Amino acid sequence: MAETELQPLSAPLFERLTVIGAGLIGSSIVRVAKQRALAREVIVTDRSPSVCDRVRQLGIADQVIDDPAAAVAGSDLVILCVPVGASAEVGAEITDALALGAIVSDVGSVKSAVVDALAPILPKHVHLIPAHPVAGTEYSGPDAGFSTLFGNRWCIVTPPEDADPQAVERVREFWKACGANVETMTPAHHDLVLAITSHVPHLIAYNIVGTAADLEEVTQSEVIKFSAGGFRDFTRIAASDPTMWRDIFLNNKEAVLEMLGRFNEDLAALQRMIRWGDGQGLFDLFTRTRAIRRSIIEQGQETIEPDFGRGGSNDP
Ligand code: NAP
């Protein structure tokens, strides 16, 4: 969805922002932070020398510092933009270098596991305020990011129970300035909501594309040649980054399994309707689901144009 670029702020919200992991989400934050002057200085670090070099070439940050500890020193906002499974490792690398009163946030698609990984290892003198921008595409890396990615999308801030309200408010303000609508909820509730709105749909996409690829009666070239809109939409979702999605399922196990249980029950009911020719039951369900799609469009979270797998957002 094309969003218009926002104007720079008259005064920055932070002195020094460090983004760890300059992939799709990290490089988008860097771009919008620079464009809107959300911090006086924007620093990038990434474990991949090639990613660091690419960010230097792109010229989107004020500084690229290879060493993560050196990159966070003196920053009042540090945002981890790495796969969820790497949170503890990155936390351990930076913990000794974090400035007094710094806010440490992240963008992970799972929240309880991130809090569990970071809270015990971060020093008491910093504020851990995790967040999840519900915006994205199926592309990865520093070239995939763009400054309008978060425009009119939701960002869910998930502070731990004992979080400092002022630090929470500063993170909320940051995301609003990135163009996002902001909601606050507990990490556990976030994980349950996202299990059904994002994680299970991705699992279904991975599964259906995998099933089609494994069919014996229908060749792979037929699947590709005759792929209809619905299947193409699934292939777009199933093209999402394997590392990131492996980490999401391993770190949101309980909520995903809970929602999959519900899904399987409902699927069995659909199977029964088809077997017994219950046309009315199928029609009623499809009418209810159509209304949900309409509400999403009415709330500006999707456009009415048909997409058929050629673009669009992925939103893990
Ligand atoms: P991405 O494009 O693959 O970027 C991740 C970056 O982090 C890569 O440059 C990666 O380097 C780097 N990295 C990995 N492990 C690291 C480590 N231990 N230390 C430092 N850097 C490390 O991924 P992304 O899509 O931006 O996703 C990042 C986070 O955002 C994930 O937690 C994901 O759940 C969340 N998220 C993603 C989306 C989405 O649509 N993609 C939406 C919302 C939230 P390498 O290239 O060497 O692996």
Side-chain angles (χ1 to χ4, degrees), residues 121-239:
I121 54 175
L122 293 182
K124 294 281 172 272
H125 64 73
V126 304
H127 305 286
L128 172 62
I129 316 287
H132 174 206
V134 188
T137 72
E138 65 275 30
Y139 301 109
S140 308
D143 286 279
F146 50 99
S147 66
T148 53
L149 176 63
F150 310 111
N152 200 32
R153 309 317 303 263
W154 283 95
C155 180
I156 306 174
V157 179
T158 62
E161 258 178 39
D162 56 351
D164 171 35
Q166 268 187 335
V168 176
E169 198 43 43
R170 292 189 76 195
V171 171
R172 289 177 55 93
E173 286 307 314
F174 178 84
W175 280 105
K176 280 186 202 161
C178 290
N181 307 313
V182 178
E183 179 106 11
T184 303
M185 59 178 77
T186 64
H189 190 65
H190 164 279
D191 290 352
L192 208 55
V193 172
L194 270 289
I196 192 62
T197 59
S198 171
H199 306 168
V200 168
H202 272 75
L203 201 67
I204 293 166
Y206 282 123
N207 188 49
I208 200 165
V209 176
T211 303
D214 291 344
L215 285 177
E216 277 147 17
E217 308 82 6
V218 182
T219 64
Q220 270 207 35
S221 65
E222 284 173 315
V223 168
I224 292 163
K225 190 167 163 188
F226 301 116
S227 70
F231 184 74
R232 286 203 297 269
D233 275 353
F234 278 122
T235 60
R236 177 175 62 77
I237 299 171

Side-chain angles (χ1 to χ4, degrees), residues 35-47:
Q35 188 210 315
R36 292 216 72 199
L38 303 185
R40 223 173 279 285
E41 198 181 12
V42 178
I43 315 287
V44 162
T45 186
D46 195 289
R47 68 162 179 188

Side-chain angles (χ1 to χ4, degrees), residues 94-111:
I94 62 170
T95 188
D96 292 339
L98 289 165
L100 186 73
I103 294 176
V104 177
S105 190
D106 81 312
V107 294
S109 311
V110 174
K111 302 293 13 144

